[in-house]
Amino acid sequence: MTVFNKAAFILMCTIAIVATMAYGTVHQAIIAFFYLTVGLLVMLVAADSFRSGVVRYSTSLLQLPVYAAALYALFQVIPFGETLPIAGIDGVSRTISFDPFSTKVTALHFVALGLFFSCSLILVDSAKRIQRLAATLIIFGFGYAFFSIIQSVLSPQKIYGLYDALSPFGTFVNRHNFAAAMEMLIALPLGMLFAGAIRPDKRLLYVTAVVLMGAALLLSGSRGGLVSFVAMLIFLVFVTARSGGKKRFALRGAMAVLLLLIVVGGAVFVGGDTSLTRITDSAASKDVTTGRFDIWGTTLKMIAENMPFGAGLGAYAVAYSRFDTGSGLERVEQAHNDYLQVVSDAGVPGLIIGGFFLFFLFKAGKRGLAANNLIRRGIATGALAGIFAILVHSVFDFVLHTTAVSLIFLLMLTLVAAAGHEYDDDLIDVPNDGRRREGPTRRKIKR
């Protein structure tokens, strides 16, 4: 392992953490810095290959949908004729996308995310790296939750006490994005607890981390976050008790209920508005431009109008204005439902790309959940639970449009994909009784 490889792994973890702390990386200057750091990450991986004399790459099919989305976005901006003269202006190229510039920017963003994902799949190539990445995310989640709770008490409307936002929480300008990030970070210790992959002397530490992160999630006030958290617990019960009989299922169910009650109790103890106090509020607003159901209805009209190729990735806001019957007090830029927006922006090709992603995810998840090593299986269970929570949350919000959330999501995918392989250093297992035992030496499988 070269110094470039070690530096690349550290940079990979740092990018995701810094992106989260830098307001979720939603401002153009920070996004540009993100692109530069991804470029540096690629150069470090290339330098590692040059120094070691081995070209390293990942064969994981999970990468393909990311690059396919970038390619399709470029296809949507190919000119095919000119529009009719409007207000004396002619010679404007006709494209599939309603907003070619935004679609080009979206293509660039997908490429950057794809390169980050490909590098992470290359770098997480051992059992030790899997555990280090999982530990880094858990420790960061614990510290980040603590910081976010303190800030919500001392400065609820300002990030770092400086940046004023409409509905912030933690370092995100939108509380729903914070909830999405915390859903994935809390999933890792939860998955390891449910899978029995934690030694008895460390379980209290993991439970403490879960309670703190869960309390922060509820204090964010995100209703979608609460629904996703409950869905995650149900997912963990079924996944970890599916072959253990009724007794095991009952024990896992009781564990989930107990953890949920403790988390709720922690949020109530801290005080303030929580997801529980907002869950009874109507999801619709008095203004048609901000009500989810009205936006979804309008999006369905857009889908019907722009089939089969879509309105253009990143062009939703421009395409929506044609169908908007609201007051215009607020600009609708997202569908608040990523599934509808995928079809609206990318049409049938978007459905196909999304379908392949889910298929590849199912195959990778199945391998991860069947891992021989209990630690890897526990990490895969947690990462898969976090991914499932985000897929549920995407029904209500557009959380994956935020760069920091996307990066954590990609690291979860990396853990799922990596956990399904065997490694030369995969020698220590932790059984349910907590005793450590040496496992057989396993042949490293080409990735």
Side-chain angles (χ1 to χ4, degrees):
M1 184 180 298
T2 69
V3 64
F4 298 110
N5 186 281
K6 295 177 181 179
F9 181 78
I10 294 173
L11 180 60
M12 177 195 74
C13 298
T14 303
I15 288 174
I17 293 173
V18 172
T20 302
M21 300 305 293
Y23 308 114
T25 309
V26 294
H27 301 92
Q28 292 303 320
I30 303 175
I31 293 175
F33 180 73
F34 161 66
Y35 293 158
L36 292 175
T37 55
V38 170
L40 177 60
L41 180 64
V42 172
M43 287 190 289
L44 286 174
V45 172
D48 171 56
S49 296
F50 179 80
R51 183 69 178 271
S52 63
V54 178
V55 177
R56 304 178 68 226
Y57 61 92
S58 172
T59 57
S60 174
L61 296 177
L62 282 169
Q63 306 169 88
L64 297 183
V66 183
Y67 293 114
L71 288 174
Y72 184 61
L74 293 177
F75 171 78
Q76 289 180 314
V77 297
I78 296 176
F80 58 95
E82 297 180 352
T83 61
L84 296 175
I86 301 176
I89 301 176
D90 57 5
V92 178
S93 298
R94 185 189 299 275
T95 62
I96 292 174
S97 174
F98 280 66
D99 186 355
F101 176 77
S102 295
T103 302
K104 293 176 184 178
V105 171
T106 302
L108 173 63
H109 201 70
F110 270 115
V111 170
L113 292 174
L115 291 174
F116 176 86
F117 188 27
S118 296
C119 289
S120 67
L121 288 167
I122 293 171
L123 294 169
V124 184
D125 60 350
S126 67
K128 183 180 291 186
R129 282 279 175 90
I130 294 173
Q131 294 180 44
R132 284 182 176 175
L133 177 56
T136 299
L137 292 173
I138 292 172
I139 293 171
F140 170 66
F142 180 83
Y144 184 52
F146 181 77
F147 162 79
S148 301
I149 292 174
I150 295 298
Q151 181 175 261
S152 70
V153 175
L154 300 179
S155 180
Q157 293 300 320
K158 291 188 176 182
I159 303 174
Y160 299 126
L162 301 171
Y163 186 84
D164 198 1
L166 183 62
S167 60
F169 201 88
T171 56
F172 288 92
V173 298
N174 187 309
R175 57 173 172 255
H176 303 294
N177 295 328
F178 171 86
M182 196 54 62
E183 289 160 15
M184 291 182 284
L185 295 174
I186 195 177
L188 287 175
L190 273 174
M192 297 182 74
L193 283 169
F194 273 82
I198 302 173
R199 294 170 55 187
D201 59 326
K202 294 183 178 181
R203 286 173 188 168
L204 181 59
L205 184 62
Y206 278 74
V207 170
T208 302
V210 167
V211 172
L212 188 64
M213 286 190 273
L217 194 159
L218 294 186
L219 287 169
S220 70
S222 172
R223 292 167 294 194
L226 174 60
V227 172
S228 302
F229 180 56
V230 174
M232 179 202 305
L233 291 174
I234 296 173
F235 175 86
L236 285 170
V237 170
F238 278 93
V239 166
T240 58
R242 65 187 187 279
S243 60
K246 293 182 179 180
K247 183 177 180 180
R248 184 179 177 87
F249 184 84
L251 288 174
R252 288 293 183 269
M255 180 179 173
V257 172
L258 180 60
L259 282 172
L260 180 60
L261 291 176
I262 294 174
V263 167
V264 171
V268 172
F269 176 78
V270 174
D273 291 336
T274 68
S275 301
L276 295 172
T277 60
R278 298 187 69 248
I279 197 67
T280 57
D281 295 340
S282 172
S285 169
K286 292 180 180 179
D287 192 324
V288 71
T289 63
T290 59
R292 280 182 175 83
F293 293 116
D294 296 293
I295 294 174
W296 294 348
T298 303
T299 303
L300 290 174
K301 296 177 183 178
M302 293 170 56
I303 292 173
E305 180 74 16
N306 297 305
M307 276 294 185
F309 299 112
L313 287 164
Y316 181 88
V318 174
Y320 186 91
S321 61
R322 178 181 176 184
F323 301 88
D324 191 2
T325 59
S327 64
L329 292 176
E330 294 185 18
R331 175 183 168 94
V332 178
E333 297 189 355
Q334 309 291 347
H336 292 270
N337 182 309
D338 273 341
Y339 302 98
L340 288 178
Q341 188 157 346
V342 164
V343 184
S344 171
D345 288 3
V348 174
L351 274 176
I352 295 173
I353 293 172
F356 273 109
F357 168 75
L358 293 177
F359 175 71
F360 296 147
L361 175 61
F362 174 79
K363 292 185 65 177
K366 188 176 180 180
R367 287 196 302 269
L369 293 176
N372 293 326
N373 184 272
L374 187 55
I375 297 177
R376 285 191 290 108
R377 188 162 68 249
I379 293 174
T381 300
L384 201 58
I387 293 169
F388 178 77
I390 289 298
L391 295 180
V392 172
H393 201 157
S394 294
V395 175
F396 312 102
D397 288 301
F398 49 96
V399 290
L400 284 174
H401 293 243
T402 303
T403 304
V405 177
S406 298
L407 292 176
I408 299 175
F409 184 78
L410 292 176
L411 290 181
M412 294 292 126
L413 290 173
T414 299
L415 288 173
V416 171
H421 299 281
E422 296 180 355
Y423 304 93
D424 290 336
D425 62 342
D426 196 14
L427 301 177
I428 302 296
D429 206 350
V430 182
N432 288 325
D433 58 10
R435 296 192 301 270
R436 297 173 70 86
R437 69 172 183 265
E438 295 291 332
T441 301
R442 301 182 176 96
R443 178 175 59 86
K444 187 172 182 180
I445 297 177
K446 291 183 179 180
R447 306 179 65 236

